[in-house]
């Protein structure tokens, strides 16, 4: 059987994190869009492969799927470093 104290700890941690924080997703979104805008123009071969169906192709340089995934991956790294640097968890 599972110890009831362990369940109480898990439940209290889930309740604390599930309350929500709007700052982290906002920072991550801005970093991803910024990375997509900047890096789509800096990748050596952004048009190799199938095109990504983005809403504004000229704004995002009409990138291919691999270039889009590379930009979003870099945006997630940038967003993670920004969240850790800004110490958003410190205030909540």
């Amino acid at each position: 059987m599972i110890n009831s104290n362990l369940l109480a700890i898990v439940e209290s941690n889930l309740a604390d994190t599930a309350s929500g924080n709007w700052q982290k997703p906002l920072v991550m979104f801005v970093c991803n869009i910024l990375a997509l805008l900047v890096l789509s123009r800096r990748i050596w071969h952004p048009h190799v492969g199938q095109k990504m169906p983005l809403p504004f192709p000229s704004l995002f340089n009409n990138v291919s799927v691999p270039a889009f995934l590379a930009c979003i991956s870099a945006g997630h790294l940038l967003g993670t470093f920004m969240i850790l640097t800004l110490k958003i968890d410190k205030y909540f």
Side-chain angles (χ1 to χ4, degrees):
M1 288 292 171
I2 296 177
N3 191 355
S4 62
N5 291 334
L6 180 63
L7 289 176
I9 291 171
V10 170
E11 184 179 342
S12 67
N13 285 340
L14 288 176
D16 291 341
T17 58
S19 63
N21 184 0
W22 59 270
Q23 291 175 333
K24 286 182 192 177
L26 182 65
V27 168
M28 187 64 73
F29 177 76
V30 168
C31 288
N32 281 321
I33 295 297
L34 181 67
L36 187 59
L37 287 172
V38 173
L39 295 178
S40 67
R41 288 163 174 75
R42 300 302 307 161
I43 292 178
W44 286 355
H45 303 290
H47 306 293
V48 175
Q50 293 181 343
K51 301 294 180 232
M52 191 70 190
L54 294 173
F56 304 107
S58 61
L59 180 66
F60 296 117
N61 197 21
N62 201 16
V63 295
S64 62
V65 174
F68 176 79
L69 292 175
C71 291
I72 294 301
S73 297
H76 273 79
L77 287 174
L78 179 66
T80 301
F81 291 135
M82 288 295 292
I83 289 170
L84 292 174
T85 303
L86 294 173
K87 299 179 183 174
I88 292 175
D89 285 338
K90 179 180 176 183
Y91 301 111
F92 293 99

